[in-house]
Amino acid sequence: MNARIRPPARRPAVTHKLTWRTETAEHSFHITVGLDPDTAKPIEVFYADGQRHGSQLQHTIQDACVLISLLLQHGVAPVAIAKSLSTASVFGTEQPSSIIGTIADDVLRQGLSP
């Protein structure tokens, strides 16, 4: 694995709302994607808000953000992260099968933005 690329202390970031949908529920939450100031590519992701404090789902989102951030900082491309996670058909549309995949897909979209 590549050496960790530590993000600078000051960096641009984008916070926005995501929704993870299943056949039986819809969970909305906010994340912040930190961008490399030189390349504008994602270098980290944080849970911002949206789930009940202390809930299992909040902890899962926070842990997913840490793991995705570590992968990014060790040189794993957002497309490799998103592509490696499972999908499921939800109402006839292929979507991430977990909240982790929802976060990874969003980080990938941030990396594709101009």
Side-chain angles (χ1 to χ4, degrees):
M1 183 170 270
N2 297 333
R4 181 174 175 218
I5 302 163
R6 294 189 180 273
R10 294 278 204 197
R11 59 206 164 274
V14 178
T15 301
H16 53 278
K17 181 179 179 179
L18 296 180
T19 302
W20 173 49
R21 291 178 179 84
T22 67
E23 293 277 348
T24 59
E26 193 171 282
H27 304 279
S28 294
F29 57 101
H30 292 83
I31 63 167
T32 299
V33 178
L35 306 171
D36 182 294
D38 297 325
T39 65
K41 299 294 181 193
I43 195 159
E44 64 189 343
V45 60
F46 297 99
Y47 167 75
D49 191 26
Q51 294 299 308
R52 187 171 49 86
H53 179 72
S55 70
Q56 184 64 44
L57 194 53
Q58 179 198 18
H59 293 297
T60 300
I61 295 168
Q62 289 173 321
D63 287 351
C65 290
V66 169
L67 293 173
I68 291 170
S69 294
L70 284 170
L71 288 168
L72 292 169
Q73 292 168 17
H74 280 278
V76 179
V79 67
I81 298 168
K83 187 173 98 174
S84 297
L85 300 173
S86 62
T87 60
S89 180
V90 178
F91 301 115
T93 303
E94 233 15 66
Q95 296 182 26
S97 60
S98 73
I99 204 155
I100 300 164
T102 300
I103 297 166
D105 277 0
D106 184 70
V107 170
L108 173 60
R109 281 191 298 278
Q110 292 299 313
L112 298 176
S113 297

